[in-house]
Amino acid sequence: MQTILVTGGAGFIGSNFVRYMLETHNDVRIVNLDALTYAGNLENLRDVENDPRYVFVKGDVRDKATVDAVFGDYAVDTVVHFAAESHVDRSITNPEIFLTTNILGTGVLLDSAKRHWNLRPDDKYCRDYRDGVRYLQVSTDEVYGALGKTGMFTEKTPLSPNSPYSASKTSADLLVRAYGETYGLPVNITRCSNNYGPYQFPEKLIPLMIRNCLTDTPLPVYGDGMQIRDWLHVHDHCAAIDTVLRKGAVGEVYNIGGNNEKANIEIIRLILKATGKDESLIRHVQDRPGHDRRYAIDNTKITTELGWSPDYTFERGMAETVQWYLNNQSWVERVVSGEYQNYYKKMYGNI
Ligand code: NAD
Ligand code: TYD
């Protein structure tokens, strides 16, 4: 049986990944290590919490003792590292926690993996590891910076992050690379485009706009709304990570994306239509500082070398997602209570 340490498994993508793995494979055990920040919610995993193959540990990836104990107690042989501060706007107002969680947290995990998996951990020249171990870093296309009107990010595109969030994710990627090069740790990095789907915290574009439509609240569009993102349903992201775990070559980076570029304003109009609201809700607000204009992923490597391709069309994914938020309004209202209300007021004032 494979034991996968999933960090950040109570967040948006992490909780979808835990569910996906338990549904797809019988012979896995999942240890979910999550600090339960504002973005982590155990309610996201209520349906699997009694599965004997699933364990939750509340803890911080920056805490060496906790991470070491998890490796020791559960004989972890695979790490999928999702835990992060993940919201660009928050990184602009409070960069510090992005540096500690995203960079130092990754360093703690890598070091613990090396010490627990290396066959002779006291020998700095030893590059031999237990059979079948793998560390997978869940990264983002934002490490590549912004594109103009044409071109796509390949795995060879130079790293050029523009926000404190993407700079912290880039730093973490470089640490992963260093552990692969220096110590021979079997690592992979996946760099995915923007995700959408169930359980996404409603500070991100799609769930925020759906919630605002459902509550007749103005829709804050940054600048002209013509920024482009390359959207992928979270289920397809989970399947891609599973594919890299099973078939990825050691040390390789894989971009993940579904060739689905959309301008923000197009998505907002689609959500208005799907919820039966009209465009009078749209408010153009001041643009995000350093706002990346366009992202687009070239997914040739993962599709041709590993045989992954997305299942969801954007139309089906968005229809299901709007419906999920409609059916789960009480989930939304519970996760946005408290701290989120203060954040929203600070961010958008009284638009
Ligand atoms: P999220 O903000 O929804 O969830 C993050 C999770 O990490 C939460 O459960 C939170 O409690 C946990 N966490 C935060 N700090 C922690 C700490 N110090 N120790 C332990 N747990 C901690 O994020 P998400 O959108 O699910 O993103 C998950 C990962 O995927 C991130 O690494 C992000 O950079 C990456 N990613 C996200 C997207 C996207 O569109 N959301 C796209 C590409 C890559
Ligand atoms: P977001 O969901 O924060 O993801 P990221 O910044 O990581 O791509 O934002 C997606 C796009 O939507 C981005 O171009 C910023 C824009 N946006 C708005 O126009 N208004 C909003 O209120 C939010 C949250 C995002």
Side-chain angles (χ1 to χ4, degrees):
M1 166 135 4
Q2 180 186 25
T3 299
I4 307 178
L5 169 57
V6 173
T7 68
F12 163 48
I13 308 174
S15 61
N16 278 283
F17 182 74
V18 169
R19 183 175 298 101
Y20 175 91
M21 291 303 280
L22 291 171
E23 278 172 2
T24 311
H25 304 284
N26 286 325
D27 54 344
V28 292
R29 178 164 70 149
I30 305 278
V31 182
N32 173 12
L33 174 66
D34 197 300
L36 300 182
T37 68
Y38 79 94
N41 181 1
L42 284 180
E43 223 186 309
N44 299 358
L45 288 167
R46 190 156 282 168
D47 53 330
V48 304
E49 68 190 9
N50 294 322
D51 190 315
R53 298 169 300 154
Y54 170 75
V55 185
F56 173 70
V57 178
K58 183 172 186 302
D60 194 314
V61 291
R62 294 167 292 188
D63 179 0
K64 214 170 145 173
T66 301
V67 171
D68 273 341
V70 168
F71 269 88
D73 292 349
Y74 297 102
V76 169
D77 49 35
T78 305
V79 173
V80 182
H81 181 32
F82 291 98
E85 289 294 331
S86 68
H87 190 38
V88 173
D89 290 320
R90 287 183 190 256
S91 83
I92 293 167
T93 47
N94 182 19
E96 195 177 335
I97 192 169
F98 286 71
L99 310 188
T100 62
T101 293
N102 297 2
I103 308 173
L104 298 180
T106 299
V108 169
L109 274 168
L110 285 165
D111 211 61
S112 198
K114 172 172 88 66
R115 280 182 284 105
H116 283 85
W117 293 345
N118 193 286
L119 294 184
R120 292 186 302 284
D122 296 330
D123 172 2
K124 74 174 178 185
Y125 297 105
C126 177
R127 296 170 73 84
D128 299 326
Y129 288 83
R130 279 174 28 202
D131 277 348
V133 296
R134 190 67 64 98
Y135 176 100
L136 188 149
Q137 178 76 6
V138 180
S139 187
T140 160
D141 60 356
E142 303 193 25
V143 300
Y144 297 121
L147 292 164
K149 284 194 167 54
T150 59
M152 290 180 128
F153 298 132
T154 74
E155 290 80 358
K156 293 196 163 53
T157 301
L159 304 179
S160 184
N162 292 318
S163 72
Y165 162 68
S166 54
S168 69
K169 292 293 291 184
T170 308
S171 308
D173 283 12
L174 294 178
L175 271 178
V176 176
R177 178 189 147 83
Y179 270 69
E181 294 292 322
T182 301
Y183 306 112
L185 188 72
V187 296
N188 285 114
I189 298 173
T190 56
R191 297 192 178 129
C192 191
S193 57
N194 285 63
N195 283 214
Y196 69 100
Y199 301 106
Q200 186 166 31
F201 194 90
E203 66 188 351
K204 304 279 169 67
L205 179 76
I206 289 178
L208 185 143
M209 297 300 167
I210 296 174
R211 172 170 185 256
N212 285 16
C213 282
L214 296 180
T215 53
D216 289 310
T217 308
L219 311 181
V221 181
Y222 297 162
D224 62 4
M226 291 306 291
Q227 303 83 4
I228 289 174
R229 299 291 182 264
D230 188 352
W231 293 92
L232 186 73
H233 192 276
V234 64
H235 187 271
D236 285 324
H237 187 188
C238 295
I241 291 173
D242 185 25
T243 304
V244 174
L245 283 180
R246 284 178 296 112
K247 300 190 197 163
V250 167
E252 291 296 313
V253 175
Y254 295 95
N255 283 352
I256 304 171
N259 296 323
N260 188 49
E261 291 182 50
K262 301 276 177 217
N264 294 338
I265 195 73
E266 269 183 86
I267 294 193
I268 290 164
R269 292 206 171 104
L270 192 155
I271 293 171
L272 280 165
K273 201 161 161 223
T275 52
K277 300 295 159 94
D278 68 62
E279 296 201 4
S280 61
L281 279 178
I282 291 178
R283 299 283 187 287
H284 286 271
V285 299
Q286 193 173 356
D287 209 349
R288 174 189 277 174
H291 198 169
D292 288 338
R293 194 69 180 167
R294 175 172 165 258
Y295 302 143
I297 281 277
D298 181 337
N299 66 10
T300 307
K301 184 172 174 182
I302 190 167
T303 53
T304 58
E305 292 183 15
L306 306 188
W308 169 87
S309 60
D311 278 342
Y312 273 82
T313 61
F314 190 62
E315 291 64 35
R316 173 183 157 213
M318 279 301 289
E320 284 184 20
T321 301
V322 171
Q323 194 57 49
W324 189 89
Y325 280 92
L326 262 170
N327 295 346
N328 290 278
Q329 290 184 59
S330 57
W331 176 90
V332 174
E333 292 320 312
R334 279 196 298 283
V335 303
V336 302
S337 58
E339 187 268 348
Y340 182 68
Q341 298 299 341
N342 301 329
Y343 165 81
Y344 198 92
K345 243 188 231 128
K346 243 188 17 252
M347 186 68 205
Y348 301 109
N350 292 317
I351 61 164

